[in-house]
């Protein structure tokens, strides 16, 4: 049986929210969709909105989102990105091999409130797979 979960909510300006704290053994969540929309459509004129999904906030400075680059795909912690450009251009990027085995954060990269929509599927994994996914989420940035 396929288990699908949807998370929706409000992320205030420059806020980071923990939306999953997974303590279940042998369970992983695969993110299948991540989208955002402005909280106040009247604020939208020419402004940029953006958020990212992260599995770990260490090394990503939430107080300086521009400096830590919301589009930093070298960081394994960032598994999805959704941007709305000032001209209405949409950009949604998602790591197709992502599996969340512990925590998931929504990180609002800009100074405007936004709504987020996350869809994910639940998978049963082995203990060995869980360890591999945990190491992958924190180990790619090591040099």
């Amino acid at each position: 049986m396929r288990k699908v979960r949807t998370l929706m909510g409000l992320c205030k300006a420059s806020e980071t929210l923990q939306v999953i704290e997974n303590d279940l053994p042998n369970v992983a969540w695969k993110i299948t969709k991540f989208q955002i929309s402005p909280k106040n459509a009247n604020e939208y004129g020419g402004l940029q909105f953006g958020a990212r999904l992260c599995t770990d906030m260490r090394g990503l400075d939430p107080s300086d989102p521009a400096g830590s680059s919301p589009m930093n795909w070298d960081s394994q912690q960032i598994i999805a990105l959704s941007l709305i450009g000032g001209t209405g251009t949409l950009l949604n990027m998602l790591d197709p091999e992502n599996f969340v085995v512990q925590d998931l954060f929504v990180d609002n990269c800009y100074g405007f409130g936004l709504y987020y929509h996350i869809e994910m599927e639940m998978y049963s994994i082995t203990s060995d797979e869980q360890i591999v996914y945990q190491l992958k989420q924190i180990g790619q940035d090591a040099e």
Side-chain angles (χ1 to χ4, degrees):
M1 181 162 109
R2 185 174 156 205
K3 294 194 178 190
V4 177
R5 184 173 178 190
T6 301
L7 301 174
M8 296 182 290
L10 171 66
C11 194
K12 297 177 185 169
S14 302
E15 180 178 39
T16 300
L17 295 173
Q18 184 172 3
V19 292
I20 291 180
E21 184 176 3
N22 184 19
D23 293 331
L24 300 172
N26 304 327
V27 170
W29 295 96
K30 183 172 182 66
I31 307 302
T32 58
K33 185 183 230 180
F34 176 54
Q35 295 179 312
I36 61 170
S37 66
K39 176 185 174 201
N40 183 348
N42 295 330
E43 289 179 334
Y44 180 64
L47 301 175
Q48 285 189 322
F49 295 82
R52 57 192 176 184
L53 290 181
C54 306
T55 55
D56 188 347
M57 292 306 295
R58 289 177 288 192
L60 301 174
D61 184 358
S63 65
D64 182 20
S68 60
S69 180
M71 298 182 78
N72 180 9
W73 284 100
D74 290 339
S75 172
Q76 186 62 24
Q77 300 128 293
I78 301 173
I79 60 172
L81 174 70
S82 185
L83 295 171
I84 302 174
T87 60
T89 306
L90 300 175
L91 172 66
N92 288 305
M93 297 173 67
L94 181 65
D95 177 356
E97 297 182 14
N98 75 79
F99 280 96
V100 178
V101 293
Q102 288 182 311
D103 301 327
L104 183 67
F105 300 88
V106 175
D107 185 32
N108 185 345
C109 300
Y110 293 91
F112 308 98
L114 54 85
Y115 292 106
Y116 62 88
H117 177 106
I118 304 166
E119 291 180 13
M120 59 190 137
E121 295 178 6
M122 188 173 107
Y123 284 81
S124 294
I125 59 174
T126 67
S127 297
D128 290 343
E129 288 173 320
Q130 186 162 2
I131 292 168
V132 169
Y133 290 131
Q134 287 172 333
L135 291 174
K136 181 183 175 193
Q137 289 175 0
I138 61 173
Q140 181 172 326
D141 293 334
E143 294 184 22

